[in-house]
Amino acid sequence: MASLSQWVQGARPRTLPAAFAPVAAGTGVAIWQLAQQPGGVDWALVVPRALLALAVALCLQIGVNYANDYSDGIRGTDDDRVGPFRLTGSRAAAPRTVKAAAIGALAAGALFGIVLIALAQIWLMLLVGAAAVAAAWFYTGGKKPYGYLGLGELFVFVFFGLVAVNLTAYAITPHPNWVALLASIAIGLLAVAIMLTNNLRDIPTDTIAGKRTLAVRLGDRRTRALFAVTQLAPFVLMVPVMVVQWPVIVVLLALPLAITPLRIVLRGAGGRELIPVLGASGRLELVFSLLLLLGLCL
């Protein structure tokens, strides 16, 4: 039986900033919008809804990580991994147990989502929530997983960027605007960087396993170039936001965190050398989102 430590490793904690960041950014946008309205910020409304949104995002992220562990494990994709520990591929846990953990996490995320939707009275978002749960499972699950077709980064951008940021903001205050859109694109790109790091590292083994990720399709050189774009473009996207809310300039304090992962990736590192980039990319997204939240609240 897998130990508690192994289950924590299987949840891939280095990817969890991709769940926290969109909620922080969306909450910041909502607070900024509320501060400009006559009633100001109602913290009794903001805090519970932001926490529920965070619970949804964390459960979905953990769920998709366990689902990926299960699906890749039973397909044999993880048999010769150079990356972090996997429960199914290492035979530390039975596939059915990992599958149950994935379903449990996704179900918990759905439950928190229903509570949030009920509080905000945005019932149409049930369809979006259902799509998010389905996307989490079918990334590597099912007969034709989209992660094997090179669409993983697109779905991460949509659900952990556009959807998560805008839905968080909308659940707190139903007044979407262009600031939320730019923030969601920026966070989505930073989330994509985390997945690109994994897929760049796994190009050799994924090619052999028939997993046609975006990195496999683009090739090594173009994947590295795309990674650089996902690390730097978010800062450019924040320039218009700085014009209307100058304290957002604090996000530039996160820019030095992009130097190390960019240097490692652009110098051509591969295999286990890319593992630190995963954590560094997660830290960049987390700090960027927290600074954005701060800048929007000041």
Side-chain angles (χ1 to χ4, degrees):
M1 292 180 62
S3 67
L4 176 60
S5 174
Q6 289 175 320
W7 278 104
V8 171
Q9 291 180 65
R12 307 182 198 180
R14 290 179 180 176
T15 68
L16 296 186
F20 186 90
V23 175
T27 301
V29 171
I31 291 172
W32 177 70
Q33 290 176 288
L34 289 171
Q36 300 178 63
Q37 296 174 15
V41 180
D42 181 359
W43 294 103
L45 178 148
V46 172
V47 174
R49 296 186 186 188
L51 290 175
L52 279 170
L54 179 60
V56 173
L58 286 172
C59 286
L60 291 183
Q61 181 67 60
I62 292 171
V64 74
N65 287 343
Y66 282 144
N68 177 237
D69 187 304
Y70 163 75
S71 297
D72 277 351
I74 62 173
R75 284 188 171 90
T77 308
D78 285 343
D79 286 351
D80 297 306
R81 283 193 60 79
V82 295
F85 175 79
R86 293 292 182 266
L87 289 159
T88 309
S90 68
R91 310 297 190 271
R96 65 178 182 276
T97 307
V98 180
K99 181 180 181 181
I103 293 173
L106 295 177
L111 179 60
F112 284 125
I114 291 171
V115 174
L116 177 60
I117 288 170
L119 279 177
Q121 292 294 296
I122 47 175
W123 297 104
L124 186 60
M125 291 300 104
L126 281 173
L127 296 177
V128 178
V133 173
W137 180 259
F138 289 108
Y139 167 51
T140 54
K143 294 182 179 180
K144 293 184 178 180
Y146 65 83
Y148 281 61
L149 302 176
L151 298 175
E153 283 80 1
L154 174 60
F155 276 75
V156 163
F157 177 75
V158 170
F159 286 102
F160 283 91
L162 301 182
V163 171
V165 174
N166 286 287
L167 186 55
T168 297
Y170 189 68
I172 296 172
T173 175
H175 301 288
N177 63 19
W178 62 272
V179 175
L181 178 61
L182 288 180
S184 67
I185 295 173
I187 294 299
L189 288 172
L190 291 169
V192 166
I194 296 175
M195 177 167 281
L196 277 176
T197 302
N198 266 322
N199 290 342
L200 174 63
R201 182 197 64 222
D202 294 340
I203 285 178
T205 54
D206 283 345
T207 301
I208 294 172
K211 188 176 181 180
R212 301 282 292 170
T213 63
L214 181 62
V216 171
R217 291 179 180 276
L218 289 178
D220 186 273
R221 183 176 60 84
R222 285 185 290 182
T223 299
R224 294 177 191 275
L226 179 58
F227 177 84
V229 171
T230 62
Q231 295 275 282
L232 298 176
F235 294 95
V236 178
L237 289 168
M238 289 299 100
V239 173
V241 183
M242 296 174 196
V243 173
V244 298
Q245 174 70 4
W246 70 264
V248 171
I249 197 171
V250 297
V251 299
L252 296 180
L253 294 175
L255 190 54
L257 295 177
I259 295 175
T260 297
L262 279 172
R263 185 172 63 244
I264 293 174
V265 170
L266 294 181
R267 80 181 182 201
R272 293 189 178 278
E273 293 178 305
L274 288 170
I275 294 177
V277 177
L278 185 63
S281 298
R283 283 191 296 274
L284 173 60
E285 183 180 8
L286 179 60
V287 173
F288 181 97
S289 66
L290 289 174
L291 290 173
L292 177 58
L293 171 61
L294 176 63
L296 289 168
C297 290
L298 291 176

